[in-house]
């Protein structure tokens, strides 16, 4: 009886220790559940997971502003129950990390990959992106990291590694698909290099610092008034002086194109849009999430690069 009681006590003690440790072990399954913060990151996860993963995007509203998204209780439950989480990081979708505090999910944090701050085994600390020289998350780098094409390729690789951990029977499948995705990224990067060869140093003006990484890869210089773009990014109205300064760029025909975020629109951005059209300055529409009917990341970015090429080659 004493031996039985001792065994029971040891078992109970083990349960208590495990509960106090807060550690959870990811499960193994042949069809991992992946929850992405936005449809953009879901499209990357889908490119990797294919038929051997279940992909869900929390924010999936074309035309809406992802910055204003507030998850429901059902969304929080999805995060807690996920096998893999793919998200932007920083303050862009901080609700994911908050909800995942008690989750066993493997986390693929794009911003952490960019800054090299992740402790996750999937991080690549050899990444030489200029942002690595900074400290911190979204305060150190432009938080729209889904426009950093090489980084998105690394997110695909990290997602493949995470999925392979959960579903080792499909590991090669995931890694092959990530490699194919990166081939597509290389093709888009080559197109940006070709734009740079033709238009290096050309000045453009963006209504918000959305596509900064892509514009820089194309050799373009964004000369929009910083106070104007900062106000738009923070959901505030630019001052009259900043709107006037933006208008001067257009009326003086200093810019080769207006890069217009169609999901961060207010009276000030509409004003500069109208001015650009009146001055016959090409307008390049860019979005913060996938347009209606689009589910593929590479196709989305290819279309936007098409618009940029057309505007600059006019």
């Amino acid at each position: 009886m004493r031996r039985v009681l001792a065994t029971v006590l040891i078992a109970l003690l083990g349960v208590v220790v495990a509960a106090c440790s807060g550690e959870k072990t990811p499960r193994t399954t042949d069809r991992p559940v992946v929850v992405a913060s936005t449809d953009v990151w879901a499209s990357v996860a889908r490119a990797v997971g294919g038929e051997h993963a279940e992909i869900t995007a929390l924010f999936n509203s074309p035309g809406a502003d992802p910055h204003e998204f507030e998850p429901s209780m059902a969304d929080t439950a999805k995060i807690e129950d996920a096998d893999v989480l793919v998200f932007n990081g920083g303050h862009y979708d901080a609700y994911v990390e908050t909800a995942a505090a008690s989750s066993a999910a493997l986390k693929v944090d794009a911003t952490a990959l960019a800054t090299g701050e992740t402790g996750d085994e999937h991080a690549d600390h050899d990444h030489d992106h200029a942002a690595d020289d900074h400290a911190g998350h979204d305060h150190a780098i432009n938080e729209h990291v889904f426009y950093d094409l090489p980084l998105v390729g690394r997110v695909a690789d990290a997602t493949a590694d995470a999925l392979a951990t959960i579903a080792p029977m499909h590991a090669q499948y995931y890694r092959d698909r990530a490699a194919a995705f990166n081939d597509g990224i290389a093709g888009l990067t080559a197109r940006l290099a070709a734009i740079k060869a033709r238009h290096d140093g050309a000045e453009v003006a963006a209504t918000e610092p959305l596509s900064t990484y892509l514009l820089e890869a194309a050799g373009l210089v964004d000369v929009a008034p910083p106070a104007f773009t900062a106000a738009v990014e923070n959901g505030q109205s630019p001052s009259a002086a900043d709107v006037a300064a933006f208008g001067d760029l257009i009326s003086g025909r200093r810019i080769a194109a207006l890069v217009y975020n169609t999901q961060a629109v207010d009276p000030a951005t509409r004003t500069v849009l109208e001015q650009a059209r009146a001055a016959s300055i090409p307008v390049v529409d860019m979005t913060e999430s996938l347009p209606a009917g689009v589910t593929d990341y590479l196709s989305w970015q290819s279309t936007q690069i098409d618009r940029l090429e057309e505007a600059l080659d006019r």
Side-chain angles (χ1 to χ4, degrees):
M1 178 63 69
R2 289 178 180 175
R3 290 177 182 174
V4 172
L5 289 173
T7 301
V8 171
L9 287 173
I10 291 171
L12 288 173
L13 180 61
V15 171
V16 171
V17 170
C20 291
S21 70
E23 295 181 357
K24 291 188 177 183
T25 303
R27 68 169 183 159
T28 299
T29 175
D30 64 350
R31 189 172 173 80
V33 174
V34 182
V35 174
S37 59
T38 69
D39 54 3
V40 170
W41 292 118
S43 70
V44 177
R46 192 175 298 109
V48 176
E51 65 183 16
H52 293 304
E54 180 182 330
I55 316 293
T56 299
L58 299 181
F59 175 85
N60 189 17
S61 302
D65 188 346
H67 295 273
E68 299 176 357
F69 174 72
E70 294 185 4
S72 65
M73 292 182 65
D75 292 328
T76 299
K78 289 176 183 177
I79 294 170
E80 293 173 344
D81 294 340
D83 295 310
V84 177
L85 295 169
V86 182
F87 55 103
N88 196 84
H91 286 303
Y92 193 86
D93 45 18
Y95 57 85
V96 175
E97 292 184 271
T98 300
S102 60
S103 171
L106 296 180
K107 301 173 183 65
V108 180
D109 180 335
T111 297
L113 282 172
T115 60
E117 292 182 353
T118 177
D120 187 271
E121 67 273 19
H122 307 306
D124 178 1
H125 296 282
D126 293 329
H127 183 42
D128 62 355
H129 194 285
D132 290 350
D133 295 334
H134 300 285
H137 282 275
D138 61 313
H139 295 293
I141 66 172
N142 184 311
E143 66 182 3
H144 303 101
V145 293
F146 44 88
Y147 270 92
D148 181 341
L149 301 186
L151 174 63
V152 173
R154 294 175 60 232
V155 169
D157 287 336
T159 301
D161 288 345
L163 289 171
T165 299
I166 301 296
M169 68 289 291
H170 300 311
Q172 194 59 50
Y173 173 88
Y174 299 136
R175 289 178 176 133
D176 287 347
R177 289 179 66 91
F181 181 84
N182 272 284
D183 286 343
I185 289 289
L188 295 179
T189 301
R191 290 178 60 191
L192 293 175
I195 293 175
K196 182 174 182 178
R198 299 194 302 275
H199 303 285
D200 193 20
E203 295 183 341
V204 299
T207 55
E208 187 195 14
L210 169 65
S211 53
T212 300
Y213 297 112
L214 188 146
L215 297 177
E216 289 177 348
L220 306 177
V221 180
D222 185 359
V223 295
F228 182 104
T229 59
V232 173
E233 184 174 28
N234 293 323
Q236 301 169 352
S237 297
S239 69
D242 293 328
V243 175
F246 209 129
D248 289 342
L249 295 175
I250 296 170
S251 61
R253 303 195 66 80
R254 280 192 52 195
I255 58 174
L258 173 69
V259 181
Y260 193 75
N261 181 355
T262 62
Q263 289 173 260
V265 176
D266 66 8
T269 63
R270 292 191 189 96
T271 294
V272 297
L273 176 62
E274 292 168 1
Q275 290 173 337
R277 287 173 173 166
S280 297
I281 298 291
V283 177
V284 181
D285 287 343
M286 292 200 175
T287 62
E288 196 151 348
S289 61
L290 300 184
V294 177
T295 59
D296 180 77
Y297 178 88
L298 297 175
S299 296
W300 172 52
Q301 289 292 10
S302 180
T303 298
Q304 298 196 123
I305 294 172
D306 286 342
R307 297 192 191 113
L308 190 60
E309 287 175 325
E310 181 181 351
L312 295 171
D313 289 339
R314 283 178 55 174

